[in-house]
Amino acid sequence: MLAETLSAIRPADPQALADARAHHDRLTKPRGSLGALEEVAIRLAGAAGVSPPPMPEPAALAIFAADHGVHARGVSPWPQEVTVQMVANFLNGGAVANAFAAQAGASVTVVDVGVAADLPDAPGLVNRKIAYGTADLSQGPAMTVDQAVRGLEVGIQVAKDLVADGARCLITGDMGIANTTASAALVSAFTGRDPGEVTGRGTGIDDETYELKVGIVRQAMRTHALAGVASSPSESLRALAAVGGFEHAAIAGFILGGAALRVPVILDGVISGAAALVSAALDPAVTDHCVAGHRSAEPGHGAALEHLGLRPIMDLELRLGEGTGGLLAHPTVCAAVRVLHEVATFDSAGVTEKQV
Amino acid sequence: MLAETLSAIRPADPQALADARAHHDRLTKPRGSLGALEEVAIRLAGAAGVSPPPMPEPAALAIFAADHGVHARGVSPWPQEVTVQMVANFLNGGAVANAFAAQAGASVTVVDVGVAADLPDAPGLVNRKIAYGTADLSQGPAMTVDQAVRGLEVGIQVAKDLVADGARCLITGDMGIANTTASAALVSAFTGRDPGEVTGRGTGIDDETYELKVGIVRQAMRTHALAGVASSPSESLRALAAVGGFEHAAIAGFILGGAALRVPVILDGVISGAAALVSAALDPAVTDHCVAGHRSAEPGHGAALEHLGLRPIMDLELRLGEGTGGLLAHPTVCAAVRVLHEVATFDSAGVTEKQV
């Protein structure tokens, strides 16, 4: 399924990009006056292969939940059972992601791809558990390459299913206590940045824990010989397996799945950014199908976005995950595309153009 | 009406601010993890005087349209009749503001407060014309103080009418060829910044026109002796009359009207920012009721927001006006408030808190 998906991904269509750009310049507004939003609409036209691109609604949020062996090292002040508790909170509609999804009119699907406990069946929960959490990435590989591929394929399948159910925009989400540690390691591996530059305080840690966290990421980079690893698809899979989480694998697959179906993907924060680096290493064309919903307060996220060449839509120092930053951006992405559908041209509206 | 409105404006309620802040800290998310969005929700609680504050929807956009005598000096490459043409475009639903309003579920009302032509009656158009455009601000006062007060009162009345019709959030919008020149003069007067720092290229001008524009703003500051003028309400009115536009006066009144009714106001770009400086000079408490929808590409806008102490929600280099930046921010403002209404607490959701 992975190979088939990768073979279906196309880069942005140059004609659709050019059409969208030309169309923008005929609309009743000064040229370029929508700033970065014009680029969002043009990007979605390129991704869809047609201008104007389809309206990116309704949106579907997938929250991929998993646990992390590295949690045992004390990198987070939150107990591991919070992953399970937050899954229940999502399913009961009580989390911030639910409130933001309601605002955006997005559906919420929770996917257990590696939570360290058995979860009772519930509407909205998809059981695709690969293992009861990853192994400790500082001691050995977090998962096997086979597990990493299975994680990717879970994400691809979820993307397919959501699109089959009518989604026209996919939003990435995550839940997993300690997953900013794995994210920092992935970002360091794929961008070549030093662990000290790309490791953040996650949901809130003190100086001592922060030093420990940076040290663990540094140790993982050495243990797995990951510096500059992302030079080939097979090395990328090895890096994902070495230090990633099951949710990183699944989100990377989810992005690939959206791109293969030409359905745009709005990326959330640092966990999604780390996963997007994996996707882009497997096929650089995938990034043409992504929009960066926001830039989080985590330093690794800025590094990931810079590496991917993506400009975030929102920049409000969120550091929550769950897909919250992606959901917030969704109405803006819709507004950007709506301009190409609905705004009158100078000719049609009888508006005089600027006198050059 | 102005005096009565000013007397009704209250600063943020300290108890509601404290309640909202405390409520945020009980919700199932790491403390502070919604970054600047937490402050938006807290601000609206303070403005409403209750936590959680009412959901700020539905929203109503008012586009105040007017012309400017300074246009004759050649400060804009757009012919003056574009103001009239764009009013027709708004009324036909063909402008970017219409597309963004549709996305946000906001109503659109166009108010002729000083367009330099007679406009045919149309649904959605409110005729409150004070004059056929202002006088040239570089030669003498753009309007009389009496006209400025009438402009303020037009805005107050529009705010009252929209709230009476059910609006629970007001969004400022403007249309007026050459109005970034008047905005730069107002920003310079009220912030004390040099005209060279706060004058921008508006909808797009070349270097020569830009130099002319800065020179005209500088000349206006001298002609009207406006440096450091904003020290009293009467001097503020004099400054507004000297260099403002009718739409600036009306937007300033619209902001006052919203604040007096404790209905939050989302500010658009540099024209709204300049108008908000006038409102704040008349009563500093008014700013507690405002949210900065975005920061535009105009340098004067950043200066205005800094002076007002407002952090913008969007920052995408828009430079269109019409209310587009305010409309884009509306779903995010709603999402921020929705968190206080809908997200579960640690206790209610059975989620374990961070171990300190």
Side-chain angles (χ1 to χ4, degrees), chain A residues 247-315:
Chain A
E247 72 273 52
H248 293 99
I251 293 171
F254 188 65
I255 297 167
L256 295 171
L261 294 165
R262 304 199 96 139
V263 170
V265 182
I266 304 181
L267 304 177
D268 188 36
V270 69
I271 285 83
S272 298
L277 290 170
V278 176
S279 311
L282 294 172
D283 185 347
V286 76
T287 311
D288 290 349
H289 300 266
C290 295
V291 173
H294 82 129
R295 171 164 47 205
S296 85
E298 283 285 292
H301 192 209
L305 293 179
E306 202 176 298
H307 192 83
L308 292 163
L310 294 175
R311 175 179 172 152
I313 291 180
M314 316 290 302
D315 196 359

Side-chain angles (χ1 to χ4, degrees), chain A residues 13-258:
Chain A
D13 182 85
Q15 189 60 51
L17 290 173
D19 289 350
R21 205 173 290 280
H23 187 63
H24 252 306
D25 289 346
R26 285 192 298 271
L27 300 180
T28 47
K29 60 176 179 57
R31 282 192 184 194
S33 61
L34 286 177
L37 272 199
E38 299 198 5
E39 293 306 318
V40 171
I42 292 165
R43 166 178 284 270
L44 264 65
V50 60
S51 173
M55 280 295 292
E57 48 189 8
L61 168 69
I63 304 177
F64 295 94
D67 280 306
H68 296 265
V70 73
H71 181 272
R73 296 287 306 271
V75 290
S76 171
W78 297 83
Q80 190 170 59
E81 64 257 32
V82 170
T83 303
V84 173
Q85 293 166 348
M86 284 302 298
V87 166
N89 201 17
F90 297 136
L91 297 171
N92 289 329
V96 175
N98 300 99
F100 285 9
Q103 189 65 41
S107 65
V108 178
T109 301
V110 183
V111 183
D112 172 7
V113 69
V115 177
D118 287 312
L119 302 177
D121 286 345
L125 176 65
V126 177
N127 180 358
R128 295 287 181 271
K129 196 192 295 288
I130 294 169
Y132 291 87
T134 52
D136 178 358
L137 61 88
S138 69
Q139 307 295 318
M143 49 185 146
T144 65
V145 169
D146 177 62
Q147 285 178 320
V149 171
R150 282 169 60 201
L152 286 160
E153 296 192 336
V154 165
I156 293 169
Q157 190 61 52
V158 170
K160 283 187 177 180
D161 292 346
L162 290 173
V163 172
D165 285 350
R168 291 300 172 261
C169 180
L170 300 175
I171 302 176
T172 63
D174 72 276
M175 181 67 222
I177 297 300
N179 66 8
T180 60
T181 302
S183 298
L186 286 170
V187 172
S188 180
F190 283 93
T191 67
R193 305 252 199 142
D194 185 81
E197 277 181 66
V198 299
T199 304
R201 287 170 188 266
T203 48
I205 55 178
D206 59 22
D207 289 349
E208 194 183 342
T209 310
Y210 178 70
E211 288 309 317
L212 171 75
K213 187 172 172 181
V214 173
I216 285 170
V217 174
R218 210 179 284 289
Q219 181 186 342
M221 296 298 290
R222 276 197 309 269
T223 301
H224 304 293
L226 288 180
V229 76
S231 50
S232 74
S234 68
E235 279 290 271
S236 303
L237 284 178
R238 185 177 75 79
L240 170 62
V243 297
F246 291 118
E247 72 273 52
H248 293 99
I251 293 171
F254 188 65
I255 297 167
L256 295 171

Side-chain angles (χ1 to χ4, degrees), chain B residues 102-124:
Chain B
Q103 189 65 41
S107 65
V108 179
T109 302
V110 183
V111 183
D112 172 7
V113 69
V115 177
D118 289 313
L119 301 178
D121 287 344

